[in-house]
Amino acid sequence: RRLFSSVCFLIPLMYIAMGGMLKFPIPQFLTGTENILVNTLTQLILTIPVLIINKKFFTSGFKALLHKAPNMDSLVAIGSSTSFIYGLISFYFMCYGAGHNNLHLVHKYSHELYFESAAMILTLVTIGKYLETKSKAKTSDALGELIDLAPKTANVIRNGTETTIPAEEVKAGDTLII
C-alpha cells in the first residue's frame, strides 16, 4: 500500500517538476513566472503525503542515528530530509523575492526546488524493499519445495536386517541402503 500510494503522488509531482524540461504540456495555471509560486506550492502539497506515507524511514533512520548505529533507513531519511528542507528554503526565498518584486531571485530559486527528489528517494527505496520482500518470499517457497523433496523414510541395516524407518530416526553409524 505504501508503494502504491507513494507512486500515486510521485507521478503527478514528477510531471509538474520535470514535465516542462521534457516539453510535456503543463496546465497553464502552473506555467510562467506569474504562476511559479502556485507550481511550487503544488509540488510541496504532492510531496508531503509521500513523506507521511513513508514516515517509517524517518522514525527508524533517525532513531538509529541517535543510537549511533546508522543503517540504510538513516541514509534514506537524511537524503530525503535534506532535499525537502532545501526545497522549503528555496520556496521561502522565492516568496521573499516575489514579495519584493525581485523576479531574478524567484527565478533562481525556482530551479533549486528538490521536493521531487525527496519523494523520489523514498519511493525508489520503497520499490526496492517491495522487490526484496517478494524475492525473499519466492526463496522461502523454493526452500520449502526442496525440503518437501527430501525422503520421508530411509532404508537402513540394523542388526543385520534391512529396515525401513522414518528419516528423522536415522542415527550416526546406521548403514543406509540406496
Side-chain angles (χ1 to χ4, degrees):
R1 283 184 284 182
R2 272 190 15 227
L3 173 60
F4 178 76
S5 301
S6 295
V7 169
C8 285
F9 285 101
L10 182 67
I11 289 172
L13 174 60
M14 291 302 293
Y15 188 87
I16 291 167
M18 302 291 178
M21 290 181 246
L22 300 171
K23 306 289 187 232
F24 293 158
I26 305 293
Q28 194 65 37
F29 72 95
L30 295 174
T31 60
T33 306
E34 68 278 3
N35 293 320
I36 198 69
L37 294 178
V38 173
N39 182 300
T40 302
L41 187 59
T42 304
Q43 289 183 48
L44 176 62
I45 289 169
L46 289 168
T47 302
I48 290 173
V50 178
L51 298 176
I52 293 169
I53 291 164
N54 293 288
K55 68 183 176 208
K56 173 190 156 298
F57 291 114
F58 300 105
T59 55
S60 166
F62 287 127
K63 184 186 284 185
L65 269 179
L66 289 174
H67 290 105
K68 297 181 183 172
N71 57 23
M72 184 65 178
D73 289 351
S74 303
L75 182 63
V76 171
I78 289 170
S80 187
S81 296
T82 303
S83 296
F84 183 73
I85 290 167
Y86 190 83
L88 286 176
I89 292 168
S90 295
F91 185 42
Y92 173 82
F93 281 112
M94 289 170 65
C95 291
Y96 180 84
H100 290 83
N101 204 24
N102 184 345
L103 294 182
H104 173 72
L105 191 64
V106 173
H107 189 265
K108 175 186 175 192
Y109 282 100
S110 72
H111 295 290
E112 296 189 20
L113 295 171
Y114 293 102
F115 294 134
E116 81 284 352
S117 298
M120 181 64 83
I121 290 167
L122 293 168
T123 304
L124 287 177
V125 174
T126 302
I127 289 169
K129 289 195 178 242
Y130 171 77
L131 293 174
E132 179 184 12
T133 301
K134 297 264 304 174
S135 178
K136 281 181 182 178
K138 285 183 181 180
T139 302
S140 294
D141 292 345
L143 286 173
E145 289 175 15
L146 277 175
I147 289 170
D148 288 343
L149 292 175
K152 306 292 185 249
T153 60
N155 295 327
V156 296
I157 296 178
R158 286 194 178 161
N159 302 325
T161 56
E162 185 178 324
T163 311
T164 301
I165 60 170
E168 57 270 0
E169 290 181 15
V170 174
K171 298 183 273 184
D174 282 342
T175 303
L176 295 173
I177 300 172
I178 298 178

